[in-house]
Amino acid sequence: MTIFEAVREATGTLKNSGIENPVWEAGLLMGFVLKKDISYVYAHYDNSLSHEDCEKYKDLVRIRANGMPYQYITQNQEFMSLDFFVSSGCLVPRPETEILAEAALSWIKEKNSDAVRVLDIGTGSGAIAVSIAYYAANTVVHAIDISREAIETAKRNAKKHKVNNRIHFIQKDFFGWEPDSPYDIVVSNPPYIPGPEISLLPAGIINYEPVTALDGGPDGLMFYREIAVKINKLLNPEGTVFVEVGAGQARSVSDIFENCGLLTSVYRDLSGTERVVRGDRK
Ligand code: SAM
Ligand code: GLN
């Protein structure tokens, strides 16, 4: 069988199971099997596949057709132009979270100070923490997550991008934790899906992504309230907090932050949805 024939067959299988970009994903999975990038796949369509690669490819296509997000198959997701290793114990970093990382990075650049202390709450794969450390060399980042597997994944990503000497990982429950001293900037993409809505999420999310990464309590807002309760311990007097929010939550989260004395503003994502709430201490 040639690469072309295998990819064509896989495209059909993926299409039949309702996968949105079947051609692209079929090529991507072929690249993963061949340990090459997708442009290699397109440029070598006439090459024949070894029996072993062919069987491996069919297995992966079957797994994808059954609903596993391809990022858990290839164990990789790009975020802020960096490759992140992802495992089933952590959320796949989402493109809209780049809005938060970019807003935080421009705040840090403007600050222009020697050692900016950053806290990332619910670090997951480390997407936000590692990108900040990577793109702003003047940062020292603390990253907390309740999940051992997430922390292990984040550590691996910090090493991969050579910022492990500037990130300190803490495996703790944020609700039972207090920092030794406050930070200049706090960032977080916390779990924010309201508990009752979790079962309504697409199958690719509920069947594969860890529920601890999604469940924001009865109304989805419990992490924002906990940040507000702890704000004086978390943030320096000149400090700023940036949080990602779910669609429709920006007003409620701004209220929570304003009630603890922060000045708030909101950033939209590329689809126009209010996605990040910023809170500045006066
Ligand atoms: N920051 C990553 C990102 O943006 O891709 C992951 C965000 S994910 C939505 C939320 C993370 O919060 C998960 O990794 C989860 O394990 C962590 N988490 C959930 N409950 C927590 C708690 N009580 N304390 C600390 N971290 C928690
Ligand atoms: N963005 C995730 C989703 O699409 C939710 C992540 C979160 O709860 N922070 O389901």
Side-chain angles (χ1 to χ4, degrees):
M1 201 178 223
T2 63
I3 292 182
F4 175 76
E5 285 162 346
V7 169
R8 187 181 52 189
E9 193 178 299
T11 301
T13 308
L14 296 178
K15 197 172 176 186
N16 287 339
S17 11
I19 306 263
E20 236 172 79
N21 298 307
V23 179
W24 184 75
E25 289 203 23
L28 186 94
L29 290 175
M30 179 58 82
F32 177 68
V33 166
L34 299 175
K35 301 189 178 68
K36 304 278 187 200
D37 61 25
I38 199 162
S39 54
Y40 176 96
V41 174
Y42 295 145
H44 296 80
Y45 258 167
D46 295 336
N47 286 17
S48 52
L49 266 185
S50 71
H51 176 70
E52 206 188 345
D53 283 346
C54 191
E55 290 305 306
K56 191 171 166 198
Y57 184 58
K58 282 182 180 163
D59 281 347
L60 296 186
V61 169
R62 210 171 299 126
I63 293 171
R64 177 65 188 111
N66 284 331
M68 182 184 276
Y70 70 83
Q71 295 94 336
Y72 288 133
I73 299 175
T74 61
Q75 299 196 309
N76 189 70
Q77 172 64 44
E78 190 188 300
F79 182 82
M80 296 290 285
S81 306
L82 300 173
D83 272 338
F84 281 84
F85 168 75
V86 293
S87 67
S88 57
C90 72
L91 188 94
V92 174
R94 305 290 204 265
E96 60 268 26
T97 304
E98 292 183 349
I99 305 290
L100 168 65
E102 275 164 7
L105 278 165
S106 45
W107 187 92
I108 292 165
K109 296 248 153 75
E110 264 171 41
K111 179 100 175 158
N112 196 20
S113 94
D114 286 350
V116 178
R117 274 171 53 79
V118 183
L119 173 67
D120 178 20
I121 303 165
T123 199
S125 63
I128 303 168
V130 170
S131 315
I132 289 178
Y134 184 90
Y135 289 110
N138 58 337
T139 49
V140 173
V141 182
H142 288 187
I144 181 169
D145 204 292
I146 197 169
S147 151
R148 188 180 53 84
E149 207 176 338
I151 290 286
E152 277 169 10
T153 301
K155 279 184 178 166
R156 184 166 165 173
N157 283 317
K159 269 210 182 108
K160 181 172 180 165
H161 296 295
K162 302 190 172 58
V163 291
N164 47 313
N165 57 338
R166 283 188 293 112
I167 306 189
H168 171 65
F169 291 99
I170 307 160
Q171 193 210 323
K172 286 264 164 69
D173 179 351
F174 175 60
F175 285 80
W177 176 83
E178 277 183 4
D180 295 333
S181 52
Y183 296 87
D184 299 309
I185 171 167
V186 172
V187 291
S188 183
N189 170 19
Y192 55 60
I193 310 288
E197 287 174 26
I198 292 199
S199 61
L200 308 175
L201 290 170
I205 298 182
I206 28 171
N207 292 339
Y208 295 94
E209 305 224 44
V211 73
T212 349
L214 302 166
D215 189 352
D219 63 356
L221 303 175
M222 72 177 187
F223 282 84
Y224 309 109
R225 290 197 190 92
E226 186 65 11
I227 291 171
V229 165
K230 292 193 168 126
I231 202 69
N232 293 335
K233 293 197 164 128
L234 289 174
L235 265 192
N236 278 328
E238 310 272 287
T240 297
V241 54
F242 290 91
V243 290
E244 179 171 320
V245 300
Q249 292 177 335
R251 186 63 261 157
S252 309
V253 174
S254 300
D255 287 346
I256 292 169
F257 282 1
E258 282 162 20
N259 286 337
C260 73
L262 299 177
L263 288 173
T264 63
S265 46
V266 173
Y267 298 62
R268 288 175 192 270
D269 65 20
L270 299 177
S271 68
T273 306
E274 294 183 324
R275 186 55 68 191
V276 170
V277 174
R278 167 178 174 164
D280 290 272
R281 290 192 78 187
K282 286 174 202 168

